[in-house]
Amino acid sequence: MKKRKGRTCRCRKRKKQPPASVYGVNLSQERCYVQLRKWLKQQGFEDSTLQPTYFPDTGRGLMTTEPIKAGELIISLPENCLLTTVKVLESYLGDYIKRWKPPVSPTLALCTFLVAERHIGICSAWKPYIDVLPKTYTCPVYFAEETMNCLPVPLRRKALEQRNAVKELYVSSRPFLFSLQPLFHENVEDIFNYSAFQWAWCSINTRTVYLKPVKSEYLCEDLEGFALAPYLDLLNHNPQVQVHAEFNNTSRCYEIKATLPYKRYDQVFICYGPHDNHRLLLEYGFVSSNNPHSVVYIEKDVIFACLSKKDKQIAQKMSILKEHGFLENLTFDFDGPSWRLFTALKLLCLEPEEFNLWKNVLHGASVSEGNEKKRLELAKRICLHLIHENQEAMQKVSVLKKARSELQEHLHMVEALRLEELRILQASAEVLANLTSVVSSMT
């Protein structure tokens, strides 16, 4: 007979657990995670180190219960656990996809499979994974118009384009989706509605990992450029972290190795790439505070609004900048204006007698002390303009949060983005003030 462990042993075990207030709340005993780990074990996944945990600052993530050394595996997920278009083509949807002309895209194939599997519920082999997927997302694809209008103009434009692209994909895919009616008792128009398609698209867009592409005659693009990776996709992003991630052809597992060590009870992170906060919010639905890649983008309309209307060469100067690609990717960051922004402003501040030097300016040449002063003044006007714009947007967000409780979660994301941009602009304003002092002391 197995000896029972007494109260003293149980007390010691409890003492080994990290306090929830410091390390987060353990989620591993929740039914959905128990079922997920059980299902993954059946597929060949063995892991006792990473524990689903809710963290106050990042939300749901994975905590290590043991130290991880640099170079050690963080996670090794067997090929059986990966949801790929290969598995979709091998499923009950396969014949319908293979017969459809023109061929569907990998994204549509995966979206269709996710919606179908969620619909069939308990009969789905992927139910344990689908049950832990978010029920909704904080990506701009989900934003109401009021929330969308609070985004910075450059991001708002991209978000609208992305939302329209998802809607167009859904509309153009309806004939294929309706062809699946023989598979279901219910009306497929109710199963594959836009809300379900939107959820599936965001699940794929925010959570897939890269795999080496393989061509297929049945799909219009690469067969396996990406895959959904259960459990592994609980790892959160940290821009300061570097990991080595790839599919290991020998072990037939998708593996992630740490490049830095982790202490026991640390949250384990991966890096989705060197993305600024516009990209993170657009593609993944979150904002990273103190992101070293964060910038504030400047629209040409903002620059034009801050220029002196007395300059009769403005149109010609703007035309030159556009022709040479200097009206795009103009930014402020924590170190001040980018080189591209400073170069564009230098050209815009040329006096009529200096205009013939514009080619030299685009190659980085200095012009005069007067030009330098004008450039700094113009940069400060643009910076202050954007600070004022961000402050107005945050006031608008504050009003909306009080009036529209259903928009709270999405507005929180916009507020976090605007706060980060305000910090960048305030840092840039300080840099510009210091540069102005230096230039003034030299004259």
Side-chain angles (χ1 to χ4, degrees):
M1 182 176 177
K2 188 175 179 179
K3 186 178 179 181
R4 295 181 63 186
K5 295 180 179 179
R7 185 173 60 183
T8 303
C9 180
R10 291 195 296 272
C11 287
R12 288 198 201 103
K13 189 173 182 180
R14 282 196 295 269
K15 286 178 182 178
K16 290 180 182 179
Q17 298 299 315
S21 60
V22 177
Y23 294 99
V25 179
N26 181 4
L27 302 176
S28 62
Q29 300 306 312
E30 291 191 6
R31 178 175 172 78
C32 60
Y33 295 106
V34 171
Q35 294 299 318
L36 177 63
R37 289 172 69 96
K38 181 180 177 181
W39 175 76
L40 288 169
K41 187 175 182 180
Q42 292 169 352
Q43 312 304 315
F45 175 65
E46 293 285 348
D47 182 84
S48 58
T49 301
L50 298 178
Q51 177 178 285
T53 303
Y54 182 86
F55 297 93
D57 52 345
T58 60
R60 187 175 66 172
L62 290 176
M63 179 182 75
T64 178
T65 57
E66 298 294 338
I68 298 175
K69 297 177 182 178
E72 286 186 343
L73 279 175
I74 291 174
I75 191 169
S76 180
L77 193 66
E79 188 174 21
N80 286 345
C81 303
L82 299 174
L83 177 49
T84 65
T85 47
V86 170
K87 288 188 173 68
V88 175
L89 287 171
E90 292 171 349
S91 74
Y92 54 88
L93 295 177
D95 288 342
Y96 290 84
I97 293 172
K98 291 172 183 177
R99 288 198 300 263
W100 192 258
K101 302 297 178 186
V104 305
S105 69
T107 299
L108 176 56
L110 280 172
C111 279
T112 306
F113 186 77
L114 276 183
V115 173
E117 291 292 296
R118 186 175 71 163
H119 171 72
I120 63 179
I122 196 169
C123 297
S124 168
W126 293 87
K127 184 181 187 301
Y129 175 52
I130 291 171
D131 284 349
V132 300
L133 287 174
K135 303 299 183 284
T136 186
Y137 289 88
T138 51
C139 304
V141 164
Y142 269 87
F143 283 7
E145 291 303 321
E146 299 93 327
T147 309
M148 193 75 83
N149 290 334
C150 293
L151 290 171
V153 173
L155 179 56
R156 188 191 316 158
R157 186 185 304 111
K158 290 180 180 178
L160 289 170
E161 288 173 359
Q162 187 184 70
R163 188 174 68 181
N164 290 337
V166 175
K167 286 182 177 179
E168 287 172 12
L169 177 60
Y170 173 69
V171 171
S172 66
S173 302
R174 281 165 65 89
F176 165 71
L177 297 173
F178 290 173
S179 77
L180 304 176
Q181 184 62 69
L183 293 171
F184 303 95
H185 296 297
E186 300 85 351
N187 192 329
V188 290
E189 193 168 4
D190 296 329
I191 299 170
F192 295 97
N193 55 47
Y194 179 69
S195 176
F197 189 86
Q198 182 185 41
W199 166 82
W201 186 90
C202 284
S203 296
I204 293 163
N205 196 59
T206 61
R207 312 183 79 78
T208 49
V209 297
Y210 175 79
L211 293 180
K212 185 178 179 180
V214 180
K215 293 289 184 181
S216 169
E217 60 180 302
Y218 304 117
L219 299 173
C220 67
E221 299 167 11
D222 292 337
L223 177 63
E224 272 200 337
F226 48 81
L228 285 162
Y231 208 67
L232 182 150
D233 62 8
L234 295 175
L235 290 165
N236 285 320
H237 166 80
N238 187 321
Q240 311 286 356
V241 168
Q242 293 297 322
V243 296
H244 182 71
E246 66 177 359
F247 184 79
N248 186 323
N249 286 309
T250 302
S251 66
R252 305 305 296 174
C253 293
Y254 192 91
E255 298 178 346
I256 297 179
K257 290 183 180 179
T259 57
L260 296 173
Y262 284 95
K263 294 181 292 185
R264 190 182 190 191
Y265 303 134
D266 278 351
Q267 179 174 185
V268 180
F269 291 99
I270 57 174
C271 181
Y272 299 171
H275 303 318
D276 61 50
N277 277 332
H278 281 209
R279 177 77 180 275
L280 290 176
L281 182 56
L282 183 68
E283 303 294 350
Y284 302 103
F286 67 89
V287 173
S288 177
S289 60
N290 299 312
N291 183 353
H293 308 294
S294 280
V295 295
V296 176
Y297 290 94
I298 298 104
E299 294 278 284
K300 63 180 179 181
D301 292 344
V302 171
I303 295 175
F304 190 80
C306 296
L307 287 169
S308 170
K309 303 305 180 285
K310 295 179 182 179
D311 187 348
K312 297 179 180 179
Q313 294 178 309
I314 287 178
Q316 193 175 358
K317 290 173 179 177
M318 294 292 278
S319 178
I320 289 170
L321 291 173
K322 182 179 180 180
E323 182 182 348
H324 291 82
F326 272 85
L327 287 180
E328 298 174 355
N329 293 322
L330 304 179
T331 60
F332 286 108
D333 59 33
F334 285 107
D335 295 321
S338 66
W339 178 85
R340 288 177 62 81
L341 176 58
F342 254 159
T343 300
L345 300 187
K346 193 190 301 183
L347 191 147
L348 289 169
C349 291
L350 290 173
E351 296 291 349
E353 63 273 15
E354 299 170 332
F355 186 69
N356 63 328
L357 299 174
W358 68 264
K359 288 185 179 179
N360 295 347
V361 168
L362 293 182
H363 287 94
S366 298
V367 179
S368 63
E369 289 180 1
N371 178 270
E372 183 69 14
K373 286 182 178 180
K374 286 180 65 178
R375 176 175 71 157
L376 288 171
E377 287 302 316
L378 178 55
K380 284 195 284 186
R381 285 200 299 276
I382 294 169
C383 190
L384 290 173
H385 177 99
L386 291 170
I387 286 173
H388 180 66
E389 180 189 285
N390 269 273
Q391 289 171 336
E392 283 189 335
M394 287 174 65
Q395 289 176 353
K396 187 176 178 181
V397 167
S398 180
V399 171
L400 274 173
K401 284 174 74 175
K402 294 175 182 177
R404 301 286 301 277
S405 59
E406 75 278 13
L407 303 180
Q408 287 271 356
E409 191 175 18
H410 294 166
L411 288 169
H412 175 73
M413 291 297 161
V414 178
E415 187 175 50
L417 179 69
R418 288 289 190 174
L419 277 169
E420 191 73 2
E421 294 210 345
L422 191 58
R423 289 179 61 241
I424 291 171
L425 292 167
Q426 289 169 340
S428 288
E430 188 174 341
V431 169
L432 289 168
N434 292 336
L435 286 173
T436 300
S437 298
V438 171
V439 171
S440 298
S441 67
M442 295 171 65
T443 57

